[in-house]
Amino acid sequence: MALAVLALRTRAALLSPPMATPLAVRCASKKTGGSSKNLGGKSPGKHFGIKKMEGHYVHAGNILGTQRHFRWHPGAHVGLGKRKYLYALEEGIVHYTKDVYVPNPSDLEAMDLVTKLPKGAVLYKTFVHVVPTKPEGTFKLVAML
């Protein structure tokens, strides 16, 4: 008899739902995902700079350098493009020179810059030149035409 009562109790314990235990439920203290800042600054570089160095041989139309502000100035046989890029007007060898900058007296902004310099200071500008190379010779057949 005692065994039957024990069996009924264990069977009843198995069939009855378990006692609820008190649980603490946590809510999120931060938003998930959301927006982020500092999204700018991912544009590619503009590749400004010198493209042909001193002594390089260039053809007419080759770009010698690109710049945002005037860093290099066009010299002999060098043209200035719309966006301040320098290009060769003739076939030849690239040459760089630094010359003393003497501003035009009528240019007030340039004169103001020069007067603010310390006594004895000199401003220089870098010029890009193309020294043309003479053609070695022509073919006889072309000369006959």
Side-chain angles (χ1 to χ4, degrees):
M1 183 82 170
L3 190 61
V5 172
L6 183 63
L8 284 174
R9 279 188 188 167
T10 55
R11 190 177 287 167
L14 290 175
L15 295 176
S16 66
M19 295 286 288
T21 57
L23 293 175
V25 179
R26 271 192 79 157
C27 296
S29 59
K30 299 278 184 187
K31 290 183 178 178
T32 58
S35 64
S36 64
K37 295 183 180 178
N38 297 332
L39 294 175
K42 296 191 190 233
S43 62
K46 302 295 182 247
H47 304 292
F48 289 122
I50 289 293
K51 308 298 180 205
K52 301 290 182 182
M53 301 296 171
E54 174 98 19
H56 281 196
Y57 184 81
V58 294
H59 297 282
N62 279 14
I63 293 178
L64 306 176
T66 56
Q67 56 194 348
R68 180 169 287 147
H69 307 291
F70 276 109
R71 185 171 179 182
W72 307 285
H73 299 272
H77 307 291
V78 174
L80 186 66
K82 282 183 183 177
R83 295 192 175 176
K84 298 179 192 153
Y85 62 88
L86 303 172
Y87 62 93
L89 294 173
E90 290 193 25
E91 199 169 305
I93 296 176
V94 178
H95 185 66
Y96 291 90
T97 60
K98 278 194 179 260
D99 297 334
V100 176
Y101 173 56
V102 180
N104 189 355
S106 64
D107 187 3
L108 297 176
E109 188 177 337
M111 290 304 291
D112 187 42
L113 173 73
V114 171
T115 54
K116 288 182 180 177
L117 290 174
K119 188 158 180 99
V122 181
L123 286 176
Y124 290 95
K125 279 188 175 182
T126 304
F127 288 90
V128 183
H129 309 282
V130 173
V131 179
T133 55
K134 305 233 182 211
E136 294 293 322
T138 58
F139 293 104
K140 291 181 182 179
L141 184 61
V142 173
M144 283 192 250
L145 292 176

